[in-house]
Amino acid sequence: MKMKLQESMKKAGMIGISLLIVVCIVLVAMPYVKPQTLVQEQDLYEYTITPKTTYEVYLVENNLYEENPQEEGKNYFTNLIQYIKSSFGFDIVASKEAQFKGEYEVIAEVVGYTNKGDTKEIIWSKSYPLSGKQAFEGVGERWSEEQALDINFHSYNQFAQAVGESVKVNLPSELVISMKGNIQIEAEGKVVEQPIHTSLTMPLGTQYFSILKQGVEPKNDRVRQNIEVKVEPSGTRTVGLVLLIGLGIGGLVFLMGFTVPPTGEDLKRIRAKKLFNQHGSRMVGVQEVNDTGYIERYKVSNMEDLIKIADELEKPVLYPYNRNLEKITRFYVMSGQTLYFYEINETSGKAKSVESISETVHGESI
């Protein structure tokens, strides 16, 4: 049995389903016609730069310490120091073969300063190059540099005392031995540069002191680049769209092959059912309606107008009762010699256009 469907609804359904199919086809084809890309960060290589700064304090012969040289991190008496043996350098480790190059130098600097809060304000300074500029270059996954230097602590201490005596100003002073330089790493076409600065700081003009080591923390980083990655179409999304296309085609086949427009009787049944749902409480079903013998008869254009007339006249809306709704096509309001009625159109199920009829009836039935 074919489903009954009004032609307007059938056309609207076919248009809607066709549009849905076209949209789904476009959505399925779009990732292949114009592939989408996503920008992602890609790790090229990783590197670690580990500064190496060490020292040992050698003592003159004395009856206090048996251990000579003295290791790092202790307090040292100025009068017992012979010299300080230091070493400055660094290790570079890369995750893949790279080119390393750069330069560095080791400098001794004697400074006189004054304290301003938590900061030092340098009043005077004197620098001494210890190693000269050292250049390096090589290829591999590892590279190391090292400079060993003996520091004559007493010569710097005496220089600071001489400066104080000459300028007649007694300022705190210190000796800073530092390695400064620049390291360049190149791999996978990407170049990075990292400065390096490590130092040993020791006060001058004191009876004992400790040595402060700075800038020895390892530096670890990754070199990245942005790349465009093709976004593969989602399998779940594609399957869902294909299923929608299939359902849409099935819907078109159903609408074209398994639906028929409703007959006039079907439309009248639908219209009558609607009228009863809307105005059933105002209607009275009778076995038979005698609609002859009225001097004036008026045909109204819709049921709403007939209800208004019934309200004005305080009369019920009558109709000939029938179990088959499609057989109920006329509704009446009677007042004296005047008859008002509304008739459901036999072909479309819609009310006819507004029409008023006034006629003299000579035994004629409508």
Short mmCIF file of all heavy atoms in Angstrom, two decimals, residues 222-264:
data_model
loop_
_atom_site.label_atom_id
_atom_site.label_comp_id
_atom_site.label_asym_id
_atom_site.label_seq_id
_atom_site.Cartn_x
_atom_site.Cartn_y
_atom_site.Cartn_z
N ARG A 222 65.51 22.54 23.15
CA ARG A 222 65.17 21.82 21.92
C ARG A 222 64.98 22.82 20.79
O ARG A 222 64.41 23.90 21.01
CB ARG A 222 63.87 21.02 22.09
CG ARG A 222 64.00 19.88 23.07
CD ARG A 222 62.70 19.10 23.18
NE ARG A 222 62.81 18.00 24.12
CZ ARG A 222 61.82 17.15 24.39
NH1 ARG A 222 60.65 17.30 23.78
NH2 ARG A 222 62.00 16.17 25.25
N VAL A 223 65.44 22.45 19.63
CA VAL A 223 65.27 23.29 18.44
C VAL A 223 64.08 22.73 17.67
O VAL A 223 64.02 21.54 17.34
CB VAL A 223 66.53 23.30 17.56
CG1 VAL A 223 66.33 24.17 16.33
CG2 VAL A 223 67.73 23.79 18.37
N ARG A 224 63.11 23.61 17.40
CA ARG A 224 61.87 23.18 16.74
C ARG A 224 61.64 23.99 15.48
O ARG A 224 62.19 25.07 15.30
CB ARG A 224 60.67 23.37 17.68
CG ARG A 224 60.73 22.57 18.96
CD ARG A 224 59.52 22.86 19.83
NE ARG A 224 59.44 22.02 21.01
CZ ARG A 224 59.99 22.30 22.16
NH1 ARG A 224 60.67 23.44 22.30
NH2 ARG A 224 59.88 21.49 23.19
N GLN A 225 60.79 23.44 14.62
CA GLN A 225 60.34 24.18 13.44
C GLN A 225 58.87 23.87 13.21
O GLN A 225 58.37 22.80 13.59
CB GLN A 225 61.15 23.82 12.19
CG GLN A 225 60.90 22.41 11.65
CD GLN A 225 61.61 22.17 10.33
OE1 GLN A 225 62.31 23.03 9.82
NE2 GLN A 225 61.44 20.98 9.77
N ASN A 226 58.17 24.83 12.60
CA ASN A 226 56.76 24.64 12.28
C ASN A 226 56.64 23.93 10.93
O ASN A 226 57.28 24.32 9.95
CB ASN A 226 56.04 25.99 12.22
CG ASN A 226 55.90 26.63 13.58
OD1 ASN A 226 55.87 25.95 14.60
ND2 ASN A 226 55.85 27.95 13.62
N ILE A 227 55.83 22.91 10.90
CA ILE A 227 55.60 22.16 9.65
C ILE A 227 54.10 22.03 9.42
O ILE A 227 53.31 22.05 10.37
CB ILE A 227 56.24 20.76 9.69
CG1 ILE A 227 55.67 19.93 10.86
CG2 ILE A 227 57.75 20.85 9.78
CD1 ILE A 227 56.10 18.48 10.83
N GLU A 228 53.73 21.93 8.15
CA GLU A 228 52.32 21.73 7.79
C GLU A 228 52.06 20.24 7.63
O GLU A 228 52.73 19.56 6.84
CB GLU A 228 51.98 22.46 6.50
CG GLU A 228 51.84 23.97 6.67
CD GLU A 228 51.22 24.63 5.45
OE1 GLU A 228 51.05 23.93 4.43
OE2 GLU A 228 50.92 25.83 5.52
N VAL A 229 51.11 19.74 8.38
CA VAL A 229 50.76 18.33 8.35
C VAL A 229 49.39 18.17 7.71
O VAL A 229 48.44 18.87 8.08
CB VAL A 229 50.76 17.73 9.78
CG1 VAL A 229 50.38 16.25 9.74
CG2 VAL A 229 52.12 17.92 10.44
N LYS A 230 49.31 17.28 6.74
CA LYS A 230 48.03 17.02 6.07
C LYS A 230 47.08 16.32 7.02
O LYS A 230 47.43 15.34 7.67
CB LYS A 230 48.24 16.16 4.82
CG LYS A 230 46.96 15.89 4.04
CD LYS A 230 47.24 15.02 2.83
CE LYS A 230 45.93 14.69 2.09
NZ LYS A 230 46.19 13.83 0.92
N VAL A 231 45.89 16.87 7.14
CA VAL A 231 44.87 16.29 8.02
C VAL A 231 44.08 15.25 7.23
O VAL A 231 43.41 15.57 6.25
CB VAL A 231 43.92 17.38 8.57
CG1 VAL A 231 42.86 16.74 9.46
CG2 VAL A 231 44.70 18.43 9.33
N GLU A 232 44.22 14.00 7.62
CA GLU A 232 43.50 12.93 6.94
C GLU A 232 42.01 13.00 7.27
O GLU A 232 41.64 13.31 8.41
CB GLU A 232 44.04 11.56 7.37
CG GLU A 232 45.49 11.32 6.97
CD GLU A 232 45.67 11.29 5.46
OE1 GLU A 232 44.69 10.92 4.76
OE2 GLU A 232 46.76 11.63 4.98
N PRO A 233 41.17 12.78 6.26
CA PRO A 233 39.71 12.82 6.52
C PRO A 233 39.32 11.81 7.59
O PRO A 233 39.85 10.70 7.65
CB PRO A 233 39.11 12.44 5.15
CG PRO A 233 40.18 12.74 4.14
CD PRO A 233 41.48 12.49 4.85
N SER A 234 38.40 12.23 8.43
CA SER A 234 37.92 11.36 9.50
C SER A 234 37.07 10.23 8.91
O SER A 234 36.10 10.47 8.19
CB SER A 234 37.08 12.16 10.50
OG SER A 234 36.42 11.31 11.40
N GLY A 235 37.48 8.99 9.21
CA GLY A 235 36.74 7.84 8.69
C GLY A 235 35.32 7.80 9.22
O GLY A 235 34.37 7.54 8.49
N THR A 236 35.16 8.11 10.50
CA THR A 236 33.83 8.11 11.11
C THR A 236 32.94 9.16 10.46
O THR A 236 31.76 8.91 10.16
CB THR A 236 33.94 8.37 12.62
OG1 THR A 236 34.80 7.40 13.21
CG2 THR A 236 32.57 8.32 13.28
N ARG A 237 33.52 10.35 10.22
CA ARG A 237 32.75 11.43 9.60
C ARG A 237 32.34 11.04 8.19
O ARG A 237 31.19 11.25 7.77
CB ARG A 237 33.60 12.70 9.57
CG ARG A 237 32.98 13.89 8.86
CD ARG A 237 33.91 15.09 8.98
NE ARG A 237 33.44 16.23 8.22
CZ ARG A 237 33.71 16.43 6.94
NH1 ARG A 237 34.45 15.55 6.28
NH2 ARG A 237 33.25 17.52 6.33
N THR A 238 33.28 10.48 7.43
CA THR A 238 32.98 10.08 6.05
C THR A 238 31.89 9.01 6.01
O THR A 238 30.95 9.09 5.19
CB THR A 238 34.25 9.57 5.36
OG1 THR A 238 35.25 10.59 5.39
CG2 THR A 238 33.97 9.18 3.92
N VAL A 239 32.00 8.01 6.88
CA VAL A 239 30.99 6.95 6.93
C VAL A 239 29.63 7.53 7.27
O VAL A 239 28.61 7.17 6.66
CB VAL A 239 31.40 5.87 7.95
CG1 VAL A 239 30.25 4.89 8.18
CG2 VAL A 239 32.62 5.11 7.45
N GLY A 240 29.60 8.45 8.23
CA GLY A 240 28.33 9.07 8.60
C GLY A 240 27.69 9.83 7.45
O GLY A 240 26.48 9.75 7.21
N LEU A 241 28.53 10.59 6.70
CA LEU A 241 28.01 11.34 5.55
C LEU A 241 27.51 10.41 4.45
O LEU A 241 26.47 10.66 3.83
CB LEU A 241 29.09 12.27 5.02
CG LEU A 241 29.48 13.46 5.92
CD1 LEU A 241 30.69 14.18 5.37
CD2 LEU A 241 28.31 14.43 6.08
N VAL A 242 28.26 9.33 4.20
CA VAL A 242 27.82 8.36 3.17
C VAL A 242 26.50 7.72 3.57
O VAL A 242 25.61 7.52 2.72
CB VAL A 242 28.92 7.30 2.95
CG1 VAL A 242 28.39 6.17 2.07
CG2 VAL A 242 30.16 7.92 2.31
N LEU A 243 26.34 7.43 4.85
CA LEU A 243 25.07 6.86 5.32
C LEU A 243 23.93 7.86 5.11
O LEU A 243 22.82 7.48 4.69
CB LEU A 243 25.18 6.49 6.80
CG LEU A 243 25.99 5.23 7.13
CD1 LEU A 243 26.09 5.05 8.64
CD2 LEU A 243 25.33 4.00 6.50
N LEU A 244 24.19 9.15 5.38
CA LEU A 244 23.17 10.16 5.14
C LEU A 244 22.80 10.24 3.67
O LEU A 244 21.63 10.39 3.30
CB LEU A 244 23.66 11.52 5.63
CG LEU A 244 23.59 11.78 7.15
CD1 LEU A 244 24.18 13.15 7.47
CD2 LEU A 244 22.14 11.72 7.62
N ILE A 245 23.83 10.14 2.79
CA ILE A 245 23.56 10.16 1.35
C ILE A 245 22.69 8.97 0.97
O ILE A 245 21.72 9.09 0.22
CB ILE A 245 24.89 10.14 0.56
CG1 ILE A 245 25.64 11.46 0.77
CG2 ILE A 245 24.62 9.92 -0.93
CD1 ILE A 245 27.04 11.46 0.20
N GLY A 246 23.04 7.78 1.52
CA GLY A 246 22.24 6.59 1.23
C GLY A 246 20.81 6.72 1.72
O GLY A 246 19.85 6.37 1.00
N LEU A 247 20.65 7.26 2.94
CA LEU A 247 19.30 7.46 3.45
C LEU A 247 18.53 8.47 2.61
O LEU A 247 17.32 8.32 2.38
CB LEU A 247 19.37 7.94 4.91
CG LEU A 247 19.85 6.91 5.93
CD1 LEU A 247 20.03 7.57 7.30
CD2 LEU A 247 18.86 5.76 6.03
N GLY A 248 19.26 9.51 2.15
CA GLY A 248 18.60 10.52 1.31
C GLY A 248 18.12 9.92 0.00
O GLY A 248 17.00 10.19 -0.45
N ILE A 249 18.96 9.10 -0.64
CA ILE A 249 18.55 8.45 -1.89
C ILE A 249 17.36 7.53 -1.65
O ILE A 249 16.41 7.49 -2.44
CB ILE A 249 19.74 7.67 -2.49
CG1 ILE A 249 20.84 8.65 -2.92
CG2 ILE A 249 19.29 6.80 -3.67
CD1 ILE A 249 22.11 7.98 -3.38
N GLY A 250 17.42 6.80 -0.51
CA GLY A 250 16.29 5.94 -0.17
C GLY A 250 15.02 6.76 0.03
O GLY A 250 13.92 6.34 -0.38
N GLY A 251 15.16 7.94 0.66
CA GLY A 251 14.00 8.80 0.85
C GLY A 251 13.42 9.29 -0.47
O GLY A 251 12.19 9.34 -0.64
N LEU A 252 14.30 9.64 -1.42
CA LEU A 252 13.81 10.08 -2.74
C LEU A 252 13.07 8.95 -3.44
O LEU A 252 12.02 9.17 -4.06
CB LEU A 252 14.99 10.57 -3.59
CG LEU A 252 15.62 11.91 -3.20
CD1 LEU A 252 16.81 12.20 -4.10
CD2 LEU A 252 14.59 13.04 -3.30
N VAL A 253 13.66 7.75 -3.39
CA VAL A 253 13.00 6.59 -4.02
C VAL A 253 11.63 6.36 -3.40
O VAL A 253 10.64 6.10 -4.10
CB VAL A 253 13.89 5.34 -3.89
CG1 VAL A 253 13.13 4.09 -4.35
CG2 VAL A 253 15.17 5.51 -4.69
N PHE A 254 11.56 6.47 -2.07
CA PHE A 254 10.28 6.26 -1.39
C PHE A 254 9.26 7.31 -1.82
O PHE A 254 8.10 6.98 -2.12
CB PHE A 254 10.49 6.30 0.12
CG PHE A 254 9.21 6.21 0.91
CD1 PHE A 254 8.59 4.99 1.11
CD2 PHE A 254 8.62 7.36 1.44
CE1 PHE A 254 7.40 4.91 1.83
CE2 PHE A 254 7.44 7.28 2.15
CZ PHE A 254 6.83 6.06 2.35
N LEU A 255 9.68 8.60 -1.85
CA LEU A 255 8.74 9.66 -2.20
C LEU A 255 8.25 9.52 -3.64
O LEU A 255 7.07 9.77 -3.94
CB LEU A 255 9.41 11.03 -2.01
CG LEU A 255 9.64 11.47 -0.56
CD1 LEU A 255 10.40 12.79 -0.54
CD2 LEU A 255 8.31 11.62 0.19
N MET A 256 9.15 9.11 -4.54
CA MET A 256 8.76 9.01 -5.94
C MET A 256 7.98 7.74 -6.26
O MET A 256 7.06 7.74 -7.10
CB MET A 256 10.00 9.09 -6.84
CG MET A 256 10.65 10.47 -6.86
SD MET A 256 12.02 10.60 -8.05
CE MET A 256 13.22 9.51 -7.31
N GLY A 257 8.30 6.62 -5.57
CA GLY A 257 7.69 5.35 -5.94
C GLY A 257 6.65 4.82 -5.00
O GLY A 257 5.88 3.92 -5.37
N PHE A 258 6.60 5.34 -3.79
CA PHE A 258 5.72 4.74 -2.80
C PHE A 258 4.79 5.75 -2.15
O PHE A 258 4.30 5.52 -1.05
CB PHE A 258 6.56 4.03 -1.73
CG PHE A 258 7.36 2.89 -2.26
CD1 PHE A 258 8.66 3.10 -2.70
CD2 PHE A 258 6.82 1.61 -2.35
CE1 PHE A 258 9.42 2.05 -3.20
CE2 PHE A 258 7.57 0.56 -2.86
CZ PHE A 258 8.87 0.78 -3.28
N THR A 259 4.55 6.86 -2.79
CA THR A 259 3.59 7.83 -2.29
C THR A 259 2.64 8.24 -3.41
O THR A 259 3.03 8.27 -4.58
CB THR A 259 4.27 9.10 -1.73
OG1 THR A 259 5.02 9.73 -2.77
CG2 THR A 259 5.20 8.77 -0.57
N VAL A 260 1.42 8.53 -3.05
CA VAL A 260 0.43 9.02 -4.00
C VAL A 260 -0.27 10.21 -3.36
O VAL A 260 -0.36 10.31 -2.13
CB VAL A 260 -0.61 7.92 -4.34
CG1 VAL A 260 0.04 6.78 -5.10
CG2 VAL A 260 -1.30 7.40 -3.09
N PRO A 261 -0.76 11.13 -4.18
CA PRO A 261 -1.47 12.28 -3.60
C PRO A 261 -2.80 11.83 -3.00
O PRO A 261 -3.44 10.89 -3.50
CB PRO A 261 -1.67 13.20 -4.80
CG PRO A 261 -1.56 12.33 -6.00
CD PRO A 261 -0.60 11.24 -5.65
N PRO A 262 -3.24 12.45 -1.93
CA PRO A 262 -4.52 12.07 -1.32
C PRO A 262 -5.69 12.40 -2.25
O PRO A 262 -5.64 13.35 -3.03
CB PRO A 262 -4.56 12.90 -0.04
CG PRO A 262 -3.66 14.07 -0.32
CD PRO A 262 -2.58 13.56 -1.22
N THR A 263 -6.73 11.60 -2.17
CA THR A 263 -7.93 11.83 -2.98
C THR A 263 -8.75 12.95 -2.36
O THR A 263 -8.46 13.42 -1.24
CB THR A 263 -8.78 10.55 -3.05
OG1 THR A 263 -9.21 10.22 -1.71
CG2 THR A 263 -7.97 9.40 -3.61
N GLY A 264 -9.78 13.38 -3.09
CA GLY A 264 -10.69 14.38 -2.56
C GLY A 264 -11.33 13.92 -1.26
O GLY A 264 -11.50 14.70 -0.32
#
